[in-house]
Amino acid sequence: MKSSAAERIVHSLDSFRIELPSWGFANTGTRFGKFLQPAAALTIEEKFSDAEQVHRLTGVCPTLALHVLWDFPNGAADADRIAALAASRGIRPGSINPNLFEDQMYKHGSFGNPDPRVRAHALQHARDSVAIARRLGCRDVVLWFADGSNYPGTANIRQRRRWFEENLPVLHADAGADQRLLIEYKPFEPAFYHTDIADWGMALAFARSAGPRARVLVDTGHHYQSQNIEQIVAWLLADGMLGGFHFNDRRYADDDLTLGSIDPYQVFRIFHEIRFYEWESGAAADIAYMIDQSHNLKGKIEAMIQTVTHAQELYAKAALVDHAALAAAQDRAQLVEAESVLRDAFSTDVRPVIAEWRLAKGLPPDPLDAFRQSGYLERVSAERGGRTSAASSYA
Ligand code: RM4
Ligand code: MN
Ligand code: MN
């Protein structure tokens, strides 16, 4: 590899950070049940400890996304304890995720619920979450709504949209000048007829009406089959409305599989659109990269390390795209040449340069191997195994 290419990889890795999800370390499952793992984290202390392992070995995961209720059972009253815990672990609290879907009262929705008392309760929980984010110095509040309906005719779609348009600006007004609301979309599940924020266009419309610090969050698992996600990314970038990602991969629905395990070229194409935008505009895109995965079969910490290293590889490959050559080929409609610019970058084995980058930073060249050698998994499996907990997470 030419030294200029290696430099491009090193430069790209220096700025690449990715956030871990607290719920990714807990026992999770499908609607059919959970497969329990002895090492799974039950408490917030254990989640921070596991996240610390991933960050210690990869060096690029300094923040942990937190789910209010799962991680803050007492709401804002837990904030000081969690701030102290995070500081002791060298991990900062990351995005704050309100829980607007689990309580029985949300059976027919939260912000879109026909009952004004439920809408008020949901708004208060979301406002409490914004307050927690402010208290902990977290920039992003991620709003995912399970709201929707299962049968035609059972919900007033336009009315529910108005209820969202009432609540979101109230929430936005609570957010500090340095905070953002990231609005996530999802086409179906748990609702199977209509979902109130089903796609990026609806999320964009709500973000615009919420206020200037609202953005769209793209969860890569939340699209219909064959949807062109990188085009959505390109459009949101062009409008300055791309706030961040929840990364995961999928084959069928919202499968929460490991990033790039099914279609690594798609992740590469997403990163390419971002870097191409940055090259063209001369501005750095302000995007939060976050993992939203919950592995019920793979070891959770191993799966996170695998995800982070894979994300770095795909980001580094995207950094190898020769933008000037690409732009010239596009201008002349040289189709094979243009496509080859992407293929050449994607085909490059970037792993040796990444291993050198790690060594230069004092990190293990193979974080997964280092984790296996560390004995951490065996230790916590022995300490944590055999317990049960009422604490909830997915499924
Ligand atoms: C959803 C969505 C949200 C996550 C919940 C638990 O499918 O991806 O981001 O918070 O799951
Ligand atoms: Mn998500
Ligand atoms: Mn999801």
Side-chain angles (χ1 to χ4, degrees):
M1 188 183 295
K2 285 196 197 134
S3 64
S4 60
E7 275 167 29
R8 285 229 290 280
I9 294 175
V10 164
H11 193 247
S12 73
L13 294 175
D14 280 342
S15 61
F16 185 77
R17 297 290 178 276
I18 192 161
E19 182 164 306
L20 303 169
S22 72
W23 52 97
F25 298 106
N27 272 320
T28 57
T30 70
R31 65 168 88 176
F32 300 106
K34 285 184 187 180
F35 292 112
L36 305 180
Q37 297 186 14
L42 288 191
T43 64
I44 186 67
E45 286 77 11
E46 292 171 357
K47 292 172 185 174
F48 268 104
S49 173
D50 293 356
E52 182 188 33
Q53 295 304 307
V54 179
H55 181 48
R56 188 176 65 77
L57 297 168
T58 62
V60 296
C61 308
T63 56
L64 182 66
L66 300 172
H67 228 291
V68 185
L69 294 192
W70 293 343
D71 296 326
F72 297 77
N74 309 305
D78 289 327
D80 287 342
R81 184 174 57 86
I82 289 179
L85 175 64
S88 76
R89 290 290 178 186
I91 299 274
R92 292 194 312 280
S95 62
I96 297 295
N97 297 254
N99 187 321
L100 296 162
F101 48 88
E102 217 173 17
D103 194 287
Q104 292 300 313
M105 83 171 74
Y106 297 138
K107 183 157 59 169
H108 300 301
S110 59
F111 280 22
N113 196 299
D115 184 338
R117 287 165 304 178
V118 178
R119 291 201 303 279
H121 191 279
L123 178 60
Q124 189 55 51
H125 175 72
R127 296 183 73 175
D128 291 346
S129 301
V130 170
I132 287 173
R134 293 186 74 152
R135 164 70 192 82
L136 294 178
C138 303
R139 179 163 79 139
D140 292 331
V141 175
V142 174
L143 299 169
W144 174 64
F145 296 91
D147 290 51
S149 65
N150 277 3
Y151 299 98
T154 60
N156 184 333
I157 293 171
R158 282 175 298 105
Q159 176 61 70
R160 289 170 70 103
R161 173 182 154 162
R162 285 194 292 272
W163 285 327
F164 272 84
E165 285 168 348
E166 273 170 31
N167 274 359
L168 287 168
V170 176
L171 201 53
H172 188 279
D174 276 2
D178 51 353
Q179 285 187 297
R180 308 189 302 176
L181 299 185
L182 305 186
I183 301 179
E184 185 171 353
Y185 57 92
K186 178 170 177 170
F188 66 92
E189 194 204 23
F192 290 110
Y193 168 62
H194 109 279
T195 296
D196 284 296
I197 312 183
D199 67 25
W200 72 278
M202 299 177 201
L204 178 62
F206 279 141
R208 285 196 167 131
S209 65
R213 295 185 309 285
R215 299 280 183 279
V216 176
L217 182 134
V218 176
D219 183 313
T220 46
H222 292 188
H223 301 87
Y224 292 117
Q225 294 287 16
S226 84
Q227 201 160 353
N228 187 331
I229 301 176
E230 62 268 28
Q231 183 179 7
I232 295 171
V233 168
W235 274 60
L236 290 172
L237 279 167
D239 284 351
M241 291 300 284
L242 179 61
F245 287 92
H246 271 178
F247 280 127
N248 52 70
D249 211 342
R250 66 187 286 267
R251 180 69 182 81
Y252 299 102
D254 186 20
D255 308 338
D256 272 343
L257 299 178
T258 310
L259 168 90
S261 57
I262 302 293
D263 189 356
Y265 195 40
Q266 179 181 78
V267 184
F268 167 86
R269 296 192 306 264
I270 289 171
F271 284 144
H272 161 63
E273 285 301 333
I274 294 166
R275 296 200 60 101
F276 197 32
Y277 162 86
E278 292 182 327
W279 175 78
E280 235 176 36
S281 67
D286 184 9
I287 304 169
Y289 295 124
M290 301 176 265
I291 297 168
D292 183 5
Q293 292 171 185
S294 56
H295 298 92
N296 59 346
L297 297 178
K298 281 180 176 173
K300 290 154 202 312
I301 302 172
E302 286 197 357
M304 283 304 164
I305 294 172
Q306 186 186 36
T307 302
V308 172
T309 56
H310 205 174
Q312 286 179 299
E313 285 168 26
L314 293 164
Y315 193 74
K317 284 172 189 272
L320 290 179
V321 171
D322 183 339
H323 296 126
L326 181 67
Q330 288 178 346
D331 280 348
R332 296 186 204 109
Q334 294 172 324
L335 311 187
V336 172
E337 286 82 348
E339 188 190 7
S340 297
V341 171
L342 259 61
R343 300 291 315 185
D344 287 348
F346 183 66
S347 306
T348 307
D349 186 0
V350 295
R351 290 172 300 181
V353 178
I354 297 179
E356 280 172 34
W357 176 84
R358 291 194 180 112
L359 280 171
K361 305 269 173 210
L363 296 164
D366 182 342
L368 188 56
D369 181 60
F371 175 68
R372 289 180 172 163
Q373 306 293 329
S374 73
Y376 181 86
L377 186 67
E378 292 74 10
R379 182 165 63 74
V380 298
S381 296
E383 284 169 10
R384 300 176 183 175
R387 301 170 309 166
T388 50
S389 158
S392 48
S393 61
Y394 277 87

